[in-house]
Amino acid sequence: MSSSNSDQRITLAHGSGGKLMHDLIKNVFLSNFDNPVLNILDDSAIIEIKDASLAFTTDTYVINPLIFPGGDIGKLSVCGTVNDLAVVGAKPLYISCGFVIEEGFDSVSLEKITQSIAETAKKAGVMVVTGDTKVVERGKGDGVFINTSGIGICTYPLPQEIEIGDRILINGSIGDHEIAVLSARRELGLNIDIASDCAPLGDLISEILGVSARIKFMRDPTRGGIATVLNEIVEDKDFGILIEEKEIYVREQVKGACSLIGFDPLYLANEGKVVVIVDKEDAEQVIDTMKTNPLGMDARIIGQVVESPKGRVYMKTEIGGTRIIDMPVGSQLPRIC
Amino acid sequence: MSSSNSDQRITLAHGSGGKLMHDLIKNVFLSNFDNPVLNILDDSAIIEIKDASLAFTTDTYVINPLIFPGGDIGKLSVCGTVNDLAVVGAKPLYISCGFVIEEGFDSVSLEKITQSIAETAKKAGVMVVTGDTKVVERGKGDGVFINTSGIGICTYPLPQEIEIGDRILINGSIGDHEIAVLSARRELGLNIDIASDCAPLGDLISEILGVSARIKFMRDPTRGGIATVLNEIVEDKDFGILIEEKEIYVREQVKGACSLIGFDPLYLANEGKVVVIVDKEDAEQVIDTMKTNPLGMDARIIGQVVESPKGRVYMKTEIGGTRIIDMPVGSQLPRIC
């Protein structure tokens, strides 16, 4: 499939195991993901592993629109999965790519998305080692959905026991991804100049794990935002979390969009952020290390683990009050990842 | 989510990272897939691996209809992935499940499919250790798509060098799956009493690998059928393959359906079959071993590796002629897996 032919479209036969599918795999996927493990094109990729603990994760990406400021579904599908590996203390190594393509999807877009996967994988230090392609009839899908599953090797013991006084850190502003996607949809009349934070966090995480042995827990606050992550941390636990609104960095554009449409930035999805719980003694050093990485320049300590109220997340507001931050029922927007 | 409430339907909020999604995961997925690795519900599953080669594979299942004689998308999504691991000589151990659910899909069907995954995983000896759920708007998907990725440990050195005279084996009849799915669709006016062969092949494969050290290659002939697998084997190779039509077992119902609609059984998808290439000395023993397993009762030697014509697959027909078996352009039916 040549990019010069912009009229080429995906047909059902491209997903059917015959010559057209073989050509698609060879010309689009193999040429972009080129590596010795994938090139064997066997039913499974074979990976050598030394005695180790493996991390294994999966995510399907159904984001709408496929391209948004700061990224596209290809970049997102690598970042999301490598970040899921990195936050459990694993070095991301291998990913799979499973495409579900709607009949009629244009081949040039497919190739661009594939290139985006390849570039992001290279940046994140992972290899695409196995894949799958399915095509569904027009109106039975939506452009393209991508599943990426990932394997990493655990290098850091997580989670560790969370204690009262531990600090809650995040590597920058919140809500950029969800507002960028919302704006790209142009549904709510929003046209906000903001890019998604979509980025692979493996290097930043590896750097902070190198300076502190007392990082207790990490998670990337995607769907449901930091409110969801913090609630998951305290659920059924003997401690609570108190965050400080004034320490949480929300860009002006995100603040503006939220006030226009009634969204709360705490519940907005991020794709290049990590919430870190670390011993209070090491918190400043972890922040300093984050700040040396372009993905952590706006890192902040946003709160701490408190004795009570147990099992709840509270926020001290900028005007001095306190409010409960609940688990959301649904998220604010569907299909933001 | 209780099965007693048959009116419950999946909404966009079920895919949005909030409480509804958490309830869905807890009540439907965790309760069915219950195991210590998954139950941690971290972003990645953690698996202990001794010094080994790993096999890693992925497949997304978009079959239509979701339920068909002999199986459903849940059973299929486990069988397809564990079979991809087994045919490269790996013992399947862990799988992931990524759901893309169409808004409005009924929760009872989702639970049944989930139970089917759980039952098949148990039968196949694999654990579902990680998962993901996305919901797309009505008309942007088709009921449910399921991606399963799988990890296995390599226990047998494959592929080995294929030599002239090696025998081609298969563990039974061909085409059952595709004709069962076609019949279930009722599109072509067919109503054929045949069940899909959908089954996990790990045990059968492990048994034959136990009796011969000279199995050279295995592959499961899914989309594109045995014609595609055999063509992939000879592609750019210094040998050819000759198969014998009279040795290939096609059930009467499949023969009848094929002659009615003009399909060739060699190109029909299977979901419980494995094509095996083995040294001629071991062929009979492998067949005998296959026959001791319920999934191999109709095992046959269907052909052999020949010196010429190189790179081609030929078939000696029942009436004594010879015909070229080409790689198909597309498969005969879309969405059969």
Side-chain angles (χ1 to χ4, degrees):
Chain A
M1 185 175 305
S2 154
S3 323
S4 62
N5 184 350
S6 62
D7 285 345
Q8 252 180 310
R9 294 197 172 269
I10 299 299
T11 65
L12 288 169
H14 279 107
S16 300
K19 191 173 175 311
L20 286 174
M21 193 174 93
H22 285 252
D23 290 348
L24 176 68
I25 290 171
K26 199 167 154 191
N27 299 335
V28 178
F29 301 138
L30 280 190
S31 66
N32 278 291
F33 300 150
D34 181 53
N35 70 61
V37 182
L38 177 66
N39 294 350
I40 295 169
L41 268 198
D42 215 334
D43 276 351
S44 298
I46 305 298
I47 302 158
E48 299 293 328
I49 297 287
K50 301 277 166 211
D51 212 16
S53 288
L54 285 190
F56 178 34
T57 189
T58 194
D59 255 303
T60 309
Y61 299 87
V62 299
I63 192 164
N64 170 25
L66 296 174
I67 299 170
F68 48 86
D72 60 32
I73 189 172
K75 180 181 180 185
L76 178 67
S77 68
V78 178
C79 294
T81 291
V82 302
N83 292 348
D84 278 345
L85 293 171
V87 297
V88 298
K91 180 176 167 50
L93 291 176
Y94 303 103
I95 63 172
S96 63
C97 273
F99 292 84
V100 176
I101 309 170
E102 187 187 8
E103 180 188 13
F105 189 63
D106 79 281
S107 307
V108 175
S109 297
L110 182 63
E111 191 151 4
K112 280 187 188 152
I113 288 166
T114 305
Q115 283 162 358
S116 175
I117 292 174
E119 283 163 23
T120 313
K122 196 175 171 190
K123 196 175 290 179
V126 295
M127 276 199 283
V128 179
V129 291
T130 188
D132 177 56
T133 308
K134 294 286 154 57
V135 180
V136 296
E137 302 91 332
R138 220 177 277 262
K140 301 294 184 181
D142 194 13
V144 62
F145 302 148
I146 300 176
N147 176 283
T148 50
S149 298
I151 293 179
I153 287 192
C154 299
T155 59
Y156 191 97
L158 281 175
Q160 298 180 16
E161 199 192 342
I162 294 171
E163 292 163 299
I164 309 302
D166 285 349
R167 297 299 192 256
I168 319 288
L169 282 50
I170 187 163
N171 59 314
S173 59
I174 60 169
D176 301 8
H177 175 73
E178 188 152 341
I179 296 300
V181 171
L182 182 60
S183 175
R185 283 190 203 165
R186 311 211 181 278
E187 269 170 17
L188 299 182
L190 284 181
N191 187 0
I192 296 156
D193 182 26
I194 189 156
S196 165
D197 58 343
C198 182
L201 293 170
D203 286 349
L204 176 125
I205 287 174
S206 158
E207 287 153 21
I208 63 169
L209 295 180
V211 298
S212 169
R214 292 185 286 187
I215 288 174
K216 312 289 188 74
F217 180 88
M218 295 186 287
R219 184 154 293 179
D220 49 334
T222 56
R223 280 183 288 184
I226 68 168
T228 300
V229 165
L230 298 176
N231 270 285
E232 285 171 346
I233 294 169
V234 299
E235 194 181 6
D236 301 326
K237 289 298 189 326
D238 223 19
F239 56 78
I241 281 176
L242 179 68
I243 55 176
E244 306 240 4
E245 189 171 23
K246 73 176 186 339
E247 299 302 331
I248 297 169
Y249 178 31
V250 185
R251 291 184 198 279
E252 285 308 319
Q253 303 97 303
V254 173
K255 267 188 197 159
C258 281
S259 64
L260 270 173
I261 55 183
F263 280 7
D264 183 338
L266 297 177
Y267 294 90
L268 293 178
N270 311 277
E271 289 292 345
K273 293 298 174 306
V274 56
V275 170
V276 176
I277 300 189
V278 60
D279 187 281
K280 64 176 184 293
E281 302 290 331
D282 290 359
E284 286 297 341
Q285 195 178 1
V286 169
I287 289 288
D288 290 346
T289 304
M290 281 182 173
K291 285 182 172 170
T292 64
N293 186 304
L295 300 176
M297 286 189 306
D298 296 315
R300 309 274 173 95
I301 299 175
I302 61 167
Q304 59 181 300
V305 177
V306 292
E307 195 161 356
S308 71
K310 299 181 198 311
R312 301 306 298 260
V313 178
Y314 274 74
M315 181 168 79
K316 197 185 289 177
T317 64
E318 292 196 81
I319 56 166
T322 303
R323 72 175 174 99
I324 299 176
I325 307 300
D326 264 328
M327 178 74 99
V329 174
S331 88
Q332 301 178 125
L333 273 185
R335 298 186 58 189
I336 37 93
C337 61
Chain B
M1 185 176 304
S2 154
S3 326
S4 62
N5 184 348
S6 62
D7 285 343
Q8 250 179 312
R9 293 197 173 268
I10 300 298
T11 66
L12 288 169
H14 280 107
S16 299
K19 192 174 176 312
L20 285 174
M21 192 173 93
H22 285 253
D23 289 348
L24 177 67
I25 290 170
K26 198 166 154 191
N27 299 336
V28 178
F29 302 139
L30 281 189
S31 65
N32 278 292
F33 300 149
D34 180 54
N35 69 62
V37 182
L38 179 66
N39 292 352
I40 294 168
L41 267 198
D42 215 334
D43 276 351
S44 299
I46 304 298
I47 303 159
E48 298 293 330
I49 297 287
K50 299 280 168 210
D51 211 15
S53 287
L54 285 190
F56 178 34
T57 191
T58 193
D59 256 303
T60 310
Y61 300 87
V62 298
I63 192 164
N64 169 27
L66 296 174
I67 299 169
F68 48 86
D72 60 32
I73 191 171
K75 180 180 179 186
L76 179 66
S77 68
V78 178
C79 293
T81 291
V82 302
N83 292 348
D84 278 346
L85 294 170
V87 296
V88 298
K91 181 177 166 52
L93 292 174
Y94 304 104
I95 63 173
S96 64
C97 274
F99 293 84
V100 176
I101 308 170
E102 186 186 8
E103 179 187 14
F105 189 64
D106 79 280
S107 307
V108 174
S109 297
L110 182 63
E111 190 150 4
K112 279 188 188 152
I113 288 166
T114 306
Q115 284 162 356
S116 176
I117 293 174
E119 283 164 22
T120 313
K122 195 174 173 192
K123 196 176 292 181
V126 295
M127 274 198 286
V128 179
V129 292
T130 189
D132 177 55
T133 308
K134 295 286 155 55
V135 180
V136 296
E137 303 91 332
R138 219 177 280 260
K140 301 291 183 182
D142 193 15
V144 64
F145 303 147
I146 301 176
N147 176 283
T148 50
S149 299
I151 293 179
I153 287 193
C154 299
T155 58
Y156 191 96
L158 281 176
Q160 298 181 14
E161 198 192 342
I162 294 172
E163 291 163 298
I164 310 302
D166 284 351
R167 298 299 192 255
I168 319 288
L169 281 52
I170 187 164
N171 59 313
S173 59
I174 60 169
D176 301 8
H177 176 71
E178 189 152 341
I179 296 299
V181 171
L182 181 60
S183 175
R185 283 190 201 164
R186 310 212 181 277
E187 270 170 16
L188 300 181
L190 284 180
N191 188 0
I192 297 156
D193 182 26
I194 189 156
S196 165
D197 58 342
C198 182
L201 293 169
D203 286 347
L204 176 125
I205 287 174
S206 157
E207 287 153 19
I208 63 169
L209 295 179
V211 298
S212 169
R214 292 184 286 187
I215 287 172
K216 312 290 188 74
F217 181 89
M218 295 186 287
R219 183 155 293 178
D220 50 334
T222 56
R223 280 184 287 183
I226 68 166
T228 300
V229 165
L230 298 176
N231 270 284
E232 286 171 346
I233 294 170
V234 299
E235 194 182 8
D236 301 326
K237 289 298 188 326
D238 223 20
F239 56 77
I241 281 176
L242 178 68
I243 55 174
E244 306 239 5
E245 189 171 23
K246 73 177 188 334
E247 298 302 331
I248 297 168
Y249 178 30
V250 185
R251 290 184 199 279
E252 285 308 318
Q253 305 96 304
V254 173
K255 269 189 196 158
C258 281
S259 63
L260 270 173
I261 54 182
F263 281 6
D264 183 338
L266 297 177
Y267 294 90
L268 293 177
N270 311 278
E271 289 292 346
K273 293 299 174 307
V274 57
V275 170
V276 176
I277 300 189
V278 61
D279 188 282
K280 64 176 184 293
E281 302 289 330
D282 290 1
E284 286 298 342
Q285 196 178 2
V286 169
I287 289 288
D288 290 347
T289 304
M290 280 182 172
K291 285 182 172 170
T292 63
N293 187 304
L295 300 176
M297 286 190 304
D298 296 314
R300 308 275 172 96
I301 299 175
I302 61 166
Q304 59 181 300
V305 176
V306 291
E307 196 161 357
S308 73
K310 298 180 199 313
R312 302 306 299 260
V313 178
Y314 274 74
M315 181 167 79
K316 198 185 288 178
T317 64
E318 291 196 81
I319 55 166
T322 303
R323 71 175 174 100
I324 299 175
I325 307 299
D326 265 328
M327 179 75 100
V329 174
S331 89
Q332 302 177 124
L333 273 185
R335 299 186 60 189
I336 37 93
C337 62

